[in-house]
Amino acid sequence: MALYVIFFFHSGSISSVSIHGLRSSEDNMALRAALRNKGGLSGLLSLSSSSSHVRVCVSPTLVTQQRNNSTSPKIKVDFDQSTGVAMMHMQSPPVNSLSLDFLTEFCISLEKLEMDKSCRGLIITSSQPKVFSAGLDIMEMYGKSPERCGEFWRAVQEMWLKLYSSNMVTIAAINGSSPAGGCLMSMTCDYRIMADNPRYSIGLNETQLGIVAPFWFKDTMINTVGHRTTEIALELGLLYNPSEALKIGLVDQLVPEDQVLTTATQTMTKWLAIPDHARQITKSMMRKPTIDKLTSNREADIQNFVSFITKDSIQKSLRMYLEMLKKRRS
Amino acid sequence: MALYVIFFFHSGSISSVSIHGLRSSEDNMALRAALRNKGGLSGLLSLSSSSSHVRVCVSPTLVTQQRNNSTSPKIKVDFDQSTGVAMMHMQSPPVNSLSLDFLTEFCISLEKLEMDKSCRGLIITSSQPKVFSAGLDIMEMYGKSPERCGEFWRAVQEMWLKLYSSNMVTIAAINGSSPAGGCLMSMTCDYRIMADNPRYSIGLNETQLGIVAPFWFKDTMINTVGHRTTEIALELGLLYNPSEALKIGLVDQLVPEDQVLTTATQTMTKWLAIPDHARQITKSMMRKPTIDKLTSNREADIQNFVSFITKDSIQKSLRMYLEMLKKRRS
Amino acid sequence: MALYVIFFFHSGSISSVSIHGLRSSEDNMALRAALRNKGGLSGLLSLSSSSSHVRVCVSPTLVTQQRNNSTSPKIKVDFDQSTGVAMMHMQSPPVNSLSLDFLTEFCISLEKLEMDKSCRGLIITSSQPKVFSAGLDIMEMYGKSPERCGEFWRAVQEMWLKLYSSNMVTIAAINGSSPAGGCLMSMTCDYRIMADNPRYSIGLNETQLGIVAPFWFKDTMINTVGHRTTEIALELGLLYNPSEALKIGLVDQLVPEDQVLTTATQTMTKWLAIPDHARQITKSMMRKPTIDKLTSNREADIQNFVSFITKDSIQKSLRMYLEMLKKRRS
């Protein structure tokens, strides 16, 4: 069953990758250049705020501007000024794979919301059917130069760092399957509501593909479900259906599929009743040690990923895996 | 519901504070002076043991002596020499708020029991109806000088350090609600028995008041209920009813209200069947890293508390909160 | 009930000890000498591999060779080359007490399997009725020289280090009671399947005997069942029946007694479906901090054990305990 889900998702990944490879917007290249610097996106955004078309704000015009690029935006943000709550829709067909482009756009959107003091809460959800996010785009790890792999990995780190340390209340409205990086993204949030559909699954299934979740994926999972559950989940690459995920504490609440967003919105109201400063200090106190571990080992973690993923044996595994997926699809 | 409980308790706190402000016994002033020294109470007690009226012992005369002071004792200790078990009744009306006076008296009683080799077990309970302890006395944080705030915080630290590292078997007989500092006190014990009354609640609800539980409150809770439950409990300032508290492991056992003390006594017998030295070494092994963290950061933690609590914004929050309570009561 | 189990096991220990004391094979003396060196068994085995009769391999001839010694082997290994799975039967009557001889033989068998690349999985079980392992042999701690006690403790450390860091998938097929060191051994495995017989029990019950589980026993248990459950389990020396053990996560699965081995074999197949390198890196990531703590404190831990166990008061406790056991048996 677990394998079925992987195949399903990554067959999606492949078709999405065939698109990714063909395009590259100047905007994203500049943003990636910024990500290469230690300051992350902050540096870029403070720079860009002096130019009119990348202003640090969240508005319908942002979406319009991005549509003016050669590609459709992968992230759509609806911000309700009256409640202070932003709803972030991941809309990268078919399965919201976390490609470099996706992550770059995701981090920009997040940074903007973070800097907008009127935005206090963020709900993350998917516009794609049946899937929240299929996780890291396998094509970003296959046949790429070490430099490009490093760039990709830095973007994955950036997403995690930004989400896990967000001052906003963050709620994952998990309206579909959420393996690997999708599960990581969910775990960074303050609260997880999942659609109670037994066909959906969630978990860090990296070992099933012959790759390894890095230490900060592991730390995030230990913080969520404890040491022993993490050990068995990571060693076997387990994917859990919603009721199993609820039982081990990987998600906090199950609701019928059509109530995921309304429940997320209601839950947000409860969280926003707590004074921001007290909640933020508390959240930082809980998460800072875990965040500091990556921050102070970031370059080593990138080198570690690059040297692992570019190994002949790992590349061969990925190639065989991809070929198998192609056969399945045809 | 959570707010109801807070209002209830702190309306109590206020009335108790109006009494506290008016008195000051020489004894307590000397004890507070001792608390200011790094050695804590130990220094004082070794000094005081040479004078007859503060001898390091636990006896009915202690209670009598304290009654001779201008104020009633806030702590009553019944020590059963035949079993080696002391029962500590908190009796500070109306809700056993942890004021500086209360904490000072509490720590003295505890130190005496700790130094009495014939005392092997301690049961902590409340003589007040419906409440175990309402937690830190909010009036000790409002409108006080930084020096006094620091003095108060050192006493809170001292209570925690003494209880969490006690060589005695400590059992909390939680016969009423136990928010904030009352919950902390309960969590320091080796075992928690709570009255199965759905109107009672327990939890660290600091964020609901706009203040923040410090890192050693957090560490104690993580050691008790794990990382994820602590994260959500602290960020939302959750108060749990007894059955919820049992489910997450915040208490170990629920019994009908009139059986709390007898169950505590029976449970103590089971714990005392274990050889003291083996149990004490084991307890120290489990708790020492957590204790060391505060011990080596004690002054910084005090400064941190004082600079936070004396902020204009926090003082304003507390004032508004107190005014709201007054209105509610009239 | 807990005490009943201890008596039962240690009455077994005694009878086994009366045999142990009488024999000493040259082989084991050489192995112990090797254990004294920092390199552990590795040094010896690489040395021995140049001589024909202690070759680093696992084969029926090993068992035969050992039978040629004056004593029966305490460990029997069946290795199925077709599946890559070894089944290790502990067969040291009556209760698989972890004596120095037993541990030495156990570590040699383990080291051989570890170095055999064709061996990917290990199932550990007992050939003795009603007991998996009764834990550390109490006779190794009573009336022995400090040097000998240190030698024994180093062997206990070695067993734990080898098992907890094994590259193989390790499954404990717990077909009987498993107190103290037997519980430790079980907890080092990747998965624990226990016979669903309410007369069996498992736990770290050291404090009930007046001794203390060292920090790495404690760390292993925290990694398995969390901090709070470990605290109460260790302080009270609790032994859990199978359903209790399942509930707290001390074992992963219960099956009828006659299905323990078949279930272990089926479970192994599932684990071996995961690519070895990914699983091994993941396992190491989960366990390395815990392992490093002992590795870097190994000598201090030995000195700590020796100075504790050779204390007059502890030796007196052990003597009284042993005399009580003798009376019970007669």
Side-chain angles (χ1 to χ4, degrees):
Chain A
M1 189 213 69
L3 277 175
Y4 162 75
V5 177
I6 304 174
F7 292 159
F8 168 74
F9 284 140
H10 284 281
S11 68
S13 266
I14 291 169
S15 66
S16 96
V17 164
S18 61
I19 305 175
H20 294 173
L22 297 176
R23 64 193 169 67
S24 154
S25 72
E26 274 187 28
D27 247 31
N28 274 351
M29 284 176 65
L31 290 164
R32 285 177 207 160
L35 271 169
R36 264 176 241 124
N37 300 326
K38 214 160 190 178
L41 283 172
S42 316
L44 175 76
L45 288 169
S46 56
L47 183 73
S48 301
S49 63
S50 64
S51 88
S52 61
H53 78 289
V54 202
R55 276 199 55 229
V56 180
C57 66
V58 180
S59 70
T61 59
L62 172 69
V63 176
T64 316
Q65 285 162 1
Q66 289 184 338
R67 286 199 197 279
N68 291 343
N69 292 339
S70 56
T71 57
S72 306
K74 300 176 189 316
I75 307 288
K76 177 168 156 288
V77 176
D78 294 323
F79 178 46
D80 184 339
Q81 201 91 36
S82 70
T83 59
V85 178
M87 181 89 74
M88 184 186 275
H89 302 270
M90 299 185 286
Q91 52 179 19
S92 181
V95 291
N96 292 327
S97 290
L98 306 180
S99 65
L100 180 50
D101 278 350
F102 182 97
L103 290 167
T104 305
E105 205 178 309
F106 185 92
C107 285
I108 294 169
S109 299
L110 197 58
E111 178 89 8
K112 287 175 181 172
L113 294 170
E114 201 72 57
M115 294 178 75
D116 183 344
K117 297 233 161 166
S118 68
C119 182
R120 299 173 61 214
L122 170 65
I123 296 169
I124 302 176
T125 193
S126 166
S127 296
Q128 303 311 117
K130 297 180 192 163
V131 61
F132 180 72
S133 164
L136 304 188
D137 192 334
I138 197 169
M139 289 310 290
E140 298 283 8
M141 313 180 205
Y142 177 67
K144 293 286 186 296
S145 71
E147 194 190 20
R148 167 77 187 210
C149 285
E151 196 176 7
F152 171 63
W153 198 246
R154 189 183 301 279
V156 180
Q157 291 176 333
E158 191 70 20
M159 173 200 72
W160 180 82
L161 287 169
K162 281 203 180 336
L163 274 177
Y164 204 54
S165 68
S166 175
N167 270 323
M168 297 180 283
V169 173
T170 51
I171 294 181
I174 310 167
N175 52 353
S177 282
S178 194
C183 175
L184 179 74
M185 187 188 280
S186 301
M187 288 193 300
T188 62
C189 290
D190 292 311
Y191 198 76
R192 285 163 284 289
I193 299 162
M194 190 170 186
D196 193 8
N197 182 333
R199 301 185 62 178
Y200 296 162
S201 65
I202 184 169
L204 293 180
N205 59 322
E206 278 79 355
T207 51
Q208 292 218 20
L209 285 75
I211 58 176
V212 177
F215 73 87
W216 39 287
F217 282 50
K218 174 213 50 156
D219 289 343
T220 312
M221 194 170 202
I222 290 178
N223 288 351
T224 309
V225 300
H227 191 280
R228 171 57 184 162
T229 302
T230 299
E231 185 175 75
I232 202 165
L234 291 191
E235 289 195 31
L236 290 174
L238 294 180
L239 289 169
Y240 300 88
N241 65 39
S243 58
E244 291 165 341
L246 181 69
K247 195 177 170 194
I248 65 167
L250 187 51
V251 300
D252 297 302
Q253 194 177 349
L254 301 184
V255 296
E257 194 152 0
D258 58 358
Q259 295 170 28
V260 171
L261 290 188
T262 51
T263 307
T265 302
Q266 287 158 8
T267 304
M268 183 60 83
T269 305
K270 200 173 70 176
W271 281 74
L272 293 181
I274 304 298
D276 280 343
H277 71 279
R279 185 190 48 71
Q280 287 162 355
I281 294 171
T282 301
K283 181 172 178 176
S284 168
M285 181 173 65
M286 293 301 299
R287 299 188 169 190
K288 194 168 181 302
T290 308
I291 289 166
D292 287 350
K293 259 178 77 179
L294 178 58
T295 307
S296 61
N297 288 290
R298 199 164 172 181
E299 299 307 318
D301 181 61
I302 292 173
Q303 283 176 24
N304 191 46
F305 171 76
V306 172
S307 74
F308 177 82
I309 209 71
T310 56
K311 269 183 191 160
D312 283 349
S313 59
I314 302 298
Q315 286 293 309
K316 191 181 161 193
S317 294
L318 293 177
R319 190 176 65 240
M320 286 167 62
Y321 181 67
L322 289 168
E323 281 167 4
M324 184 182 60
L325 293 181
K326 280 183 192 167
K327 276 180 200 155
R328 289 229 161 196
R329 292 178 64 215
S330 60
Chain B
M1 188 212 71
L3 278 176
Y4 162 76
V5 177
I6 304 174
F7 293 158
F8 168 75
F9 284 141
H10 284 279
S11 66
S13 265
I14 291 171
S15 67
S16 97
V17 164
S18 62
I19 305 173
H20 295 173
L22 297 176
R23 64 191 168 66
S24 152
S25 72
E26 273 188 28
D27 247 32
N28 274 350
M29 284 177 65
L31 292 163
R32 286 178 206 161
L35 271 169
R36 264 177 241 125
N37 299 326
K38 214 159 187 178
L41 283 171
S42 315
L44 176 77
L45 288 168
S46 56
L47 182 73
S48 299
S49 64
S50 63
S51 88
S52 61
H53 77 289
V54 203
R55 277 199 55 228
V56 181
C57 65
V58 180
S59 71
T61 59
L62 171 69
V63 177
T64 315
Q65 285 162 0
Q66 290 184 334
R67 286 198 196 280
N68 290 344
N69 292 339
S70 56
T71 57
S72 306
K74 302 177 187 316
I75 306 289
K76 178 169 156 287
V77 176
D78 294 322
F79 178 45
D80 184 339
Q81 200 91 35
S82 70
T83 59
V85 178
M87 180 89 75
M88 184 185 276
H89 302 270
M90 299 185 285
Q91 53 179 18
S92 181
V95 292
N96 292 327
S97 290
L98 306 180
S99 64
L100 180 51
D101 279 350
F102 183 99
L103 290 167
T104 305
E105 205 177 311
F106 185 92
C107 285
I108 294 169
S109 298
L110 196 57
E111 178 88 9
K112 287 174 181 173
L113 294 171
E114 201 73 58
M115 294 179 75
D116 183 344
K117 298 232 163 166
S118 68
C119 182
R120 299 174 61 213
L122 170 66
I123 296 169
I124 302 176
T125 193
S126 166
S127 296
Q128 303 312 115
K130 298 180 192 163
V131 60
F132 180 72
S133 164
L136 304 188
D137 192 333
I138 196 170
M139 289 310 290
E140 299 282 8
M141 312 179 206
Y142 177 66
K144 293 286 187 295
S145 71
E147 194 191 18
R148 167 77 188 210
C149 285
E151 195 177 8
F152 171 64
W153 198 247
R154 188 183 301 278
V156 180
Q157 292 176 333
E158 190 71 20
M159 172 199 73
W160 180 82
L161 287 169
K162 282 202 177 339
L163 273 177
Y164 205 53
S165 67
S166 174
N167 269 324
M168 297 180 283
V169 173
T170 52
I171 295 181
I174 310 168
N175 53 352
S177 282
S178 195
C183 176
L184 178 75
M185 186 187 280
S186 301
M187 289 193 299
T188 63
C189 290
D190 293 310
Y191 197 77
R192 283 163 285 288
I193 298 162
M194 190 169 186
D196 192 8
N197 183 334
R199 302 185 61 177
Y200 297 162
S201 65
I202 184 169
L204 294 180
N205 58 322
E206 278 79 355
T207 52
Q208 292 219 21
L209 285 76
I211 58 176
V212 178
F215 73 88
W216 39 287
F217 282 51
K218 173 212 51 156
D219 290 342
T220 311
M221 194 170 202
I222 289 178
N223 288 352
T224 309
V225 300
H227 191 280
R228 171 58 184 161
T229 302
T230 299
E231 186 176 71
I232 201 165
L234 292 190
E235 289 196 32
L236 290 174
L238 294 180
L239 289 169
Y240 299 89
N241 66 38
S243 58
E244 291 165 341
L246 181 68
K247 195 177 170 193
I248 65 167
L250 187 52
V251 301
D252 298 301
Q253 194 177 350
L254 302 184
V255 296
E257 194 152 0
D258 59 357
Q259 295 171 27
V260 170
L261 290 188
T262 51
T263 307
T265 303
Q266 287 158 7
T267 304
M268 183 60 83
T269 306
K270 200 174 69 175
W271 280 74
L272 292 181
I274 304 297
D276 280 343
H277 71 280
R279 184 190 49 71
Q280 287 162 354
I281 295 171
T282 301
K283 181 173 177 176
S284 169
M285 181 173 64
M286 293 300 299
R287 299 188 170 190
K288 193 168 181 303
T290 307
I291 289 166
D292 287 350
K293 259 178 78 180
L294 178 58
T295 307
S296 60
N297 288 289
R298 197 163 174 182
E299 299 307 317
D301 181 61
I302 292 174
Q303 283 175 23
N304 191 47
F305 171 76
V306 171
S307 74
F308 177 82
I309 209 71
T310 56
K311 269 183 192 159
D312 283 348
S313 59
I314 302 297
Q315 285 292 309
K316 192 181 159 190
S317 294
L318 294 177
R319 190 177 64 239
M320 286 168 63
Y321 180 67
L322 290 168
E323 280 166 5
M324 183 183 62
L325 293 180
K326 280 183 191 168
K327 276 179 200 157
R328 289 226 162 199
R329 294 179 63 216
S330 60
Chain C
M1 187 214 72
L3 276 176
Y4 161 75
V5 177
I6 304 174
F7 292 159
F8 167 75
F9 283 139
H10 284 280
S11 67
S13 264
I14 291 170
S15 67
S16 96
V17 164
S18 62
I19 305 174
H20 294 173
L22 298 176
R23 64 193 169 66
S24 153
S25 72
E26 273 187 29
D27 247 30
N28 274 351
M29 284 176 66
L31 291 163
R32 285 178 207 161
L35 271 169
R36 264 176 242 125
N37 299 327
K38 215 160 190 178
L41 283 172
S42 315
L44 175 77
L45 288 168
S46 57
L47 182 74
S48 300
S49 63
S50 63
S51 89
S52 61
H53 78 290
V54 202
R55 277 199 55 230
V56 180
C57 65
V58 180
S59 69
T61 58
L62 172 69
V63 176
T64 317
Q65 285 163 358
Q66 290 184 335
R67 285 199 197 280
N68 291 345
N69 291 338
S70 56
T71 58
S72 306
K74 301 176 189 316
I75 307 288
K76 178 169 155 285
V77 177
D78 294 323
F79 178 44
D80 184 338
Q81 201 91 35
S82 70
T83 59
V85 178
M87 180 88 76
M88 184 185 275
H89 302 270
M90 299 185 284
Q91 53 178 19
S92 180
V95 291
N96 293 326
S97 288
L98 305 181
S99 65
L100 180 51
D101 279 350
F102 182 98
L103 289 167
T104 305
E105 205 178 310
F106 186 92
C107 285
I108 295 169
S109 298
L110 196 58
E111 178 88 10
K112 287 175 182 172
L113 294 171
E114 201 72 58
M115 294 178 75
D116 183 344
K117 297 231 162 165
S118 68
C119 182
R120 300 174 60 214
L122 169 66
I123 296 168
I124 303 176
T125 194
S126 165
S127 296
Q128 303 311 116
K130 297 180 193 165
V131 61
F132 180 72
S133 163
L136 304 188
D137 192 333
I138 197 170
M139 288 311 289
E140 299 283 8
M141 312 178 207
Y142 178 66
K144 292 287 186 296
S145 71
E147 194 192 19
R148 166 77 187 209
C149 285
E151 196 177 7
F152 172 64
W153 198 246
R154 188 182 301 279
V156 180
Q157 292 176 331
E158 190 70 20
M159 172 200 72
W160 180 82
L161 287 169
K162 282 204 179 336
L163 274 176
Y164 205 53
S165 68
S166 175
N167 270 324
M168 297 181 282
V169 173
T170 52
I171 294 180
I174 310 167
N175 53 352
S177 281
S178 194
C183 176
L184 178 75
M185 186 188 281
S186 301
M187 288 193 299
T188 64
C189 290
D190 293 309
Y191 198 77
R192 285 163 283 288
I193 298 162
M194 191 169 185
D196 193 8
N197 182 334
R199 301 184 63 178
Y200 297 161
S201 65
I202 184 169
L204 294 181
N205 59 323
E206 278 79 355
T207 51
Q208 292 219 21
L209 285 76
I211 59 177
V212 178
F215 73 87
W216 39 286
F217 282 50
K218 173 214 49 154
D219 290 341
T220 312
M221 193 169 204
I222 289 178
N223 288 351
T224 309
V225 300
H227 191 280
R228 172 58 184 160
T229 303
T230 299
E231 186 175 73
I232 201 166
L234 292 190
E235 289 196 32
L236 290 174
L238 294 180
L239 289 169
Y240 299 90
N241 66 39
S243 59
E244 291 166 341
L246 180 69
K247 195 178 169 193
I248 65 166
L250 187 53
V251 301
D252 298 301
Q253 194 177 350
L254 302 183
V255 296
E257 194 151 0
D258 59 357
Q259 294 170 27
V260 171
L261 290 188
T262 51
T263 306
T265 303
Q266 286 157 9
T267 304
M268 183 60 82
T269 306
K270 200 174 69 173
W271 281 74
L272 293 181
I274 304 297
D276 280 344
H277 70 280
R279 185 189 49 71
Q280 287 162 354
I281 294 171
T282 301
K283 181 172 177 175
S284 169
M285 181 173 64
M286 294 300 299
R287 298 187 170 190
K288 192 168 183 301
T290 308
I291 290 165
D292 287 350
K293 259 178 77 179
L294 178 58
T295 306
S296 61
N297 287 289
R298 198 163 173 181
E299 299 308 317
D301 180 62
I302 291 173
Q303 283 176 23
N304 191 45
F305 170 76
V306 172
S307 75
F308 178 82
I309 210 71
T310 55
K311 268 183 192 160
D312 284 349
S313 59
I314 302 298
Q315 286 292 310
K316 192 181 160 192
S317 294
L318 293 177
R319 188 177 66 240
M320 285 168 63
Y321 181 67
L322 289 168
E323 280 168 4
M324 184 184 60
L325 293 180
K326 279 183 192 168
K327 276 179 199 157
R328 288 229 162 197
R329 294 178 64 217
S330 61

